[in-house]
Structure formats: C-alpha cells, structure tokens
Amino acid sequence: MGVFDVLKSKDGRELPFDPAVLSREYSIDIQEVVHSMLDYDEKRDADEAVYRILNTEEIIELRGIFEELECHQSICPLLTDDQSNYIGVYYTGPLEGKVCFLNHEETNLSPGFRSMERFITKILQDPAAEWDELQHDYPALTDHDDESQQDIKVIADLDNLIMQENLDEDAKQQLIFSKLAIMPCSRMEHICEYLLADDMYVQEKAIEMIRKRKYTPAAGHLFEVAKNGMHNGKVSAILALKEFKTAESKQLLKELKTVLPASYMMYMN
C-alpha cells in the first residue's frame, strides 16, 4: 500500500487530484496538505464556496507554466476561484508548507497563511469570502514567540537566496515580498531598511507592512519617502501617515503640502 492509498475522506471520497501522481511523476510532494484538502472537499458547499479544488490535469498544466517562471517554481496550485486566480502551497524551499494567492492581475507570492490547514480552517468558517476578505496569518499584527522564531529562521534562508548572484529580478522581488510579509513585529526596523529600496514595488510593499501594523515610529522615514521617493512610495507613504493620526504624522502631512506638487494634494485631503 502506498503512502497516499489511505487518504480518503470519511465518506470514501477522493480528491479531484491524485497526490501520488504528482509525487511520483512530477516530484511534487504535498502529502502534508492532503488531509486538509479532503476536509475542505467534504465540508464545502459548492453553491456557496468561492474556491474549488483543481484536478490533476489542471495542476499539471499550471505547473508547466510555472516551470518557465523562476519565482513560481516552488509553488503547487491547488484551488481556484475559476476567475484565473489560484491558491497555492509552497512545496519546497524556505517557505515550504506556507500558502499564497496567485492573482492573475498582480503578482505577489508572499504567503498569507502558515499552512494549508490554517487556510482551510478560515475558509470553512466563511466559504463565500475571497482571499483579501480573510484574516491572514501574515503579516502578523502581534508576535507569538514560537512562530516568530520559526519566521526568523525562514527569513535567514530567504536572505541567502536573495543574495545569490544572477538571481532573476522578479524572483528576487518576490523573495523580498515574502521576507517583508513574515517579518515579526519585533523586527520592524528591518522593514524600514527597505524604504530605501531602488525597486518601487519593494518600497511600496515595505510601506504597506508599516501601515498595516500602524508602526508610528516610522513616521519620519515615511515623510522622507513622501518627499523624495518614487511615485508609488510617495502615495503609499502619504496614505500611511494619514492613517497614523498622531500629532507627529499630522504635522508631517502639513509640511508635505508645502513641498509636494499639486498632483499629490488629492491623497492628502
């Protein structure tokens, strides 16, 4: 008997995809997520649920596309909303086991959930919710010692990959996105370092993490980005300062009104 032979739901139902085929023929080992997927398949209401589980052929077809994209090569898509968006699990590498959203309009492969089990638990609580409507594990709004220590180890591994020579620029960007997303709250100063990034989207992502966590000590840094940063960073920094609603941030916004072009006033009012 193979390792996957006993993996059926309580009512004898099997998954739309065959994990044994994925493991044997494509070296995609997702044994750890199978029980969660079976639980979802058994409990989901097809009329209400946003996501359905992909079948073997769909996964293989998508993996064929992913093989051509360096930043997607560690991800196995498992669910879809049938709007060309997918839920995927990292099946290898530093982020192994974590769950991300593959948006056809915007590429951001940073994990939202620590595991498929945690994602399935959330989606079964609110099956009609789309990805952005769910409460994610990442970015965490508070630290938990064991989880934070695990994330710090993952960040160290991500840093080793980021520092590799000849790394594809898109892959590097996505690794940094993931690093920012899983950074513990106690290490926000490391996120602030990316406010000086040459990549406009990395700068914007760093500000997004600061805004979500309402990290008000970064107000002065955001002021500098709003004055001197790239366009996306400028706008994001202004919006973050507006959300802070502190005496310092209000004063900084007043100063920005005197130095920024009129085209930015719409974001400050």
Side-chain angles (χ1 to χ4, degrees):
M1 180 178 291
V3 69
F4 295 109
D5 291 348
V6 296
L7 297 180
K8 297 181 180 180
S9 65
K10 294 176 182 178
D11 60 2
R13 185 182 308 178
E14 296 182 351
L15 288 170
F17 66 85
D18 187 339
V21 170
L22 296 177
S23 177
R24 182 178 62 251
E25 298 184 17
Y26 298 93
S27 300
I28 299 174
D29 185 358
I30 53 171
Q31 180 184 354
E32 295 300 321
V33 310
V34 171
H35 283 295
S36 296
M37 301 300 290
L38 281 167
D39 191 38
Y40 180 66
D41 194 43
E42 180 180 359
K43 295 177 181 178
R44 72 187 282 268
D45 182 340
D47 294 329
E48 185 181 14
V50 172
Y51 299 104
R52 68 169 177 84
I53 300 174
L54 295 167
N55 61 42
T56 305
E57 290 72 24
E58 289 173 315
I59 292 174
I60 292 171
E61 180 181 357
L62 286 165
R63 280 295 307 161
I65 297 171
F66 289 2
E67 286 296 330
E68 302 298 320
L69 306 168
E70 186 172 347
C71 53
H72 288 69
Q73 289 180 6
S74 299
I75 301 170
C76 179
L78 293 176
L79 302 103
T80 182
D81 59 4
D82 286 315
Q83 301 295 322
S84 299
N85 302 310
Y86 303 91
I87 305 294
V89 64
Y90 282 90
Y91 70 93
T92 187
L95 298 168
E96 183 176 351
K98 301 187 188 301
V99 177
C100 66
F101 182 64
L102 298 107
N103 187 329
H104 75 279
E105 294 182 345
E106 179 182 359
T107 303
N108 176 12
L109 303 178
S110 60
F113 292 88
R114 293 181 177 277
S115 67
M116 184 58 72
E117 180 181 6
R118 291 171 73 136
F119 169 72
I120 294 301
T121 297
K122 285 291 183 184
I123 203 66
L124 285 175
Q125 291 171 353
D126 190 1
E130 297 186 8
W131 176 266
D132 290 338
E133 297 171 327
L134 296 169
Q135 182 178 352
H136 297 177
D137 293 334
Y138 298 117
L141 300 182
T142 57
D143 283 348
H144 301 281
D145 289 344
D146 290 345
E147 292 177 344
S148 295
Q149 288 304 312
Q150 292 170 11
D151 291 337
I152 288 169
K153 292 177 181 178
V154 173
I155 288 169
D157 291 336
L158 290 174
D159 279 335
N160 288 333
L161 294 178
I162 291 168
M163 296 300 293
Q164 286 182 345
E165 293 185 10
N166 303 319
L167 180 65
D168 177 85
E169 284 301 313
D170 288 338
K172 180 178 181 180
Q173 182 188 80
Q174 294 303 319
L175 289 171
I176 294 173
F177 281 4
S178 292
K179 175 183 176 179
L180 294 174
I182 71 173
M183 186 73 70
C185 297
S186 61
R187 300 199 167 198
M188 285 299 295
E189 70 277 7
H190 294 296
I191 288 182
C192 291
E193 294 171 3
Y194 283 94
L195 295 176
L196 302 175
D198 294 331
D199 185 323
M200 175 172 65
Y201 299 105
V202 169
Q203 186 180 72
E204 181 182 24
K205 185 60 64 176
I207 296 170
E208 179 184 332
M209 298 300 108
I210 291 169
R211 178 180 58 78
K212 285 185 175 181
R213 289 175 169 172
K214 292 182 170 55
Y215 185 64
T216 57
H221 297 302
L222 294 176
F223 175 75
E224 292 301 324
V225 173
K227 275 204 313 180
N228 306 311
M230 294 165 277
H231 174 72
N232 286 29
K234 284 179 180 287
V235 174
S236 295
I238 291 168
L239 296 178
L241 287 170
K242 284 179 65 177
E243 288 190 20
F244 282 178
K245 293 182 170 61
T246 63
E248 180 186 17
S249 65
K250 291 176 182 178
Q251 180 58 39
L252 293 174
L253 286 168
K254 287 182 180 178
E255 293 183 35
L256 286 173
K257 288 183 178 180
T258 67
V259 297
L260 288 180
S263 58
Y264 287 95
M265 295 304 109
M266 60 183 291
Y267 302 108
M268 286 189 268
N269 297 325

